[in-house]
Amino acid sequence: MITVAYLQTSPLLGKNSKTLDLTNIMLKGILHADLIVLPELANSGYNFISKEQAVASAEDPSGSSFVEMLMKHARRLNANLVSGFNELAGDGLYNSALLVNKEGVAGCYRKTHLFMHERDFFLPGNEAPLVYDLGFVKLGMQICFDYMFPEFWQHMAMQGAQLIAHPSNLVTHYAWKVVPALALMNRIYVVTANRIGAENNLSFRGRSFLAHPDGAVKFKAPAKEAVASVFSIDPSIAMDKRVTLLNHVFNDRRTDLYDQLL
Ligand code: ACM
């Protein structure tokens, strides 16, 4: 068994330093975890009013005090953290998820499927998502609206991901229907860490959750409270891709019939 947590926060748009302090206080409340997942754009907030505001709150991970704060908790807990991050890379901004351990940034995924006005601020990631072997679990990362693309999930599950960390800023109600079904269809765990609060007429839905490989939703957070939730899971369950003794979610596919759709 391993211990996993999500942090459901409320970043303050454009106020990185105050957001860092609030996130730090919440992380201090976690006393044991192997893996902690934070929301999308957890360092900066989401619904920027201008490109200038997005740029002003973007950070290069190598000089970021937010990343240093995450590293401090990685050392304290001997944990890995996945956090949404407004990433400055050269002249471009990416809506990224960073994998942070006690030594620093061990992985980065840049959001591929940009949602609504994100295109005004961010470049899309152009690389296939990697699966990271953390020793205790094989980890994939997706960010919020990426959930709408089933091929993406299958790509990661077929590369061995047992758990997808899913930093989110969900504003519609669809993910609670779709993500548990994708967890079941790929026989994987998903930790959706969503945020709460509102920014410039956009309300975020909270209700962070763990989806189990059997499709059950567990440890659902409230809609409007900043909370941390810590739970135990058995990653080995995600290695069994059978849905009955005689049916396997990958081996039973008939790609000879529908490969052209992929
Ligand atoms: C979203 O992708 N932030 C909905």
Side-chain angles (χ1 to χ4, degrees):
M1 299 292 278
I2 65 169
T3 308
V4 178
Y6 59 70
L7 210 65
Q8 175 167 292
T9 64
S10 184
L12 301 170
L13 186 64
K15 296 185 180 159
N16 290 32
S17 158
K18 183 86 179 129
T19 297
L20 183 156
D21 290 344
L22 292 172
T23 309
N24 186 33
I25 290 167
M26 286 187 70
L27 281 170
K28 278 186 188 162
I30 296 181
L31 302 180
H32 175 63
D34 299 305
L35 175 68
I36 306 173
V37 186
L38 288 83
E40 180 179 9
L41 297 176
N43 62 328
S44 66
Y46 179 83
N47 197 16
F48 303 109
I49 50 167
S50 64
K51 180 83 189 241
E52 290 68 36
Q53 188 183 38
V55 171
S57 57
E59 298 173 71
D60 180 335
S62 64
S64 159
S65 45
F66 193 84
V67 170
E68 271 166 31
M69 182 273 293
L70 298 179
M71 282 172 65
K72 190 182 70 181
H73 290 285
R75 281 196 292 273
R76 175 177 66 84
L77 297 163
N78 193 24
N80 289 262
L81 293 91
V82 173
S83 178
F85 191 78
N86 180 0
E87 183 198 2
L88 177 66
D91 284 343
L93 302 193
Y94 293 92
N95 181 341
S96 298
L98 301 181
L99 170 63
V100 175
N101 64 24
K102 53 192 172 186
E103 270 136 35
V105 177
C108 176
Y109 162 69
R110 291 171 171 165
K111 187 174 184 178
T112 312
H113 306 96
L114 296 177
F115 183 70
M116 288 182 66
H117 300 295
E118 288 173 29
R119 286 190 189 85
D120 297 343
F121 309 123
F122 298 107
L123 298 168
N126 283 322
E127 284 172 23
L130 298 175
V131 173
Y132 296 88
D133 189 351
L134 303 184
F136 58 89
V137 74
K138 292 202 174 89
L139 172 84
M141 298 188 273
Q142 287 201 24
I143 301 173
C144 206
F145 187 56
D146 283 329
Y147 75 80
M148 205 53 120
F149 302 88
E151 301 85 354
F152 218 53
W153 296 80
Q154 199 172 70
H155 172 81
M156 277 189 275
M158 291 188 79
Q159 285 185 85
Q162 294 163 299
L163 184 151
I164 305 287
H166 182 217
S168 293
N169 279 184
L170 293 160
V171 296
T172 68
H173 292 287
Y174 302 135
W176 290 268
K177 296 180 181 144
V178 173
V179 174
L182 288 161
L184 170 61
M185 288 158 70
N186 292 285
R187 308 293 280 173
I188 52 174
Y189 290 95
V190 184
V191 180
T192 296
N194 196 24
R195 63 160 293 176
I196 58 166
E199 286 173 357
N200 304 322
N201 300 325
L202 211 53
S203 292
F204 304 99
R205 307 283 175 191
R207 294 187 290 140
S208 300
F209 60 92
L210 168 77
H212 188 273
D214 69 6
V217 173
K218 302 197 169 162
F219 310 104
K220 194 150 78 174
K224 295 189 175 168
E225 277 168 53
V227 290
S229 190
V230 184
F231 35 86
S232 293
I233 64 165
D234 177 0
S236 71
I237 292 175
M239 302 303 290
D240 182 359
K241 301 300 180 187
R242 291 172 302 173
V243 276
T244 71
L245 285 179
L246 300 179
N247 292 102
H248 185 286
V249 290
F250 299 143
N251 296 348
D252 283 5
R253 291 175 312 137
R254 288 292 310 272
T255 49
D256 56 319
L257 300 180
Y258 44 69
D259 207 21
Q260 65 276 17
L261 297 179
L262 300 178

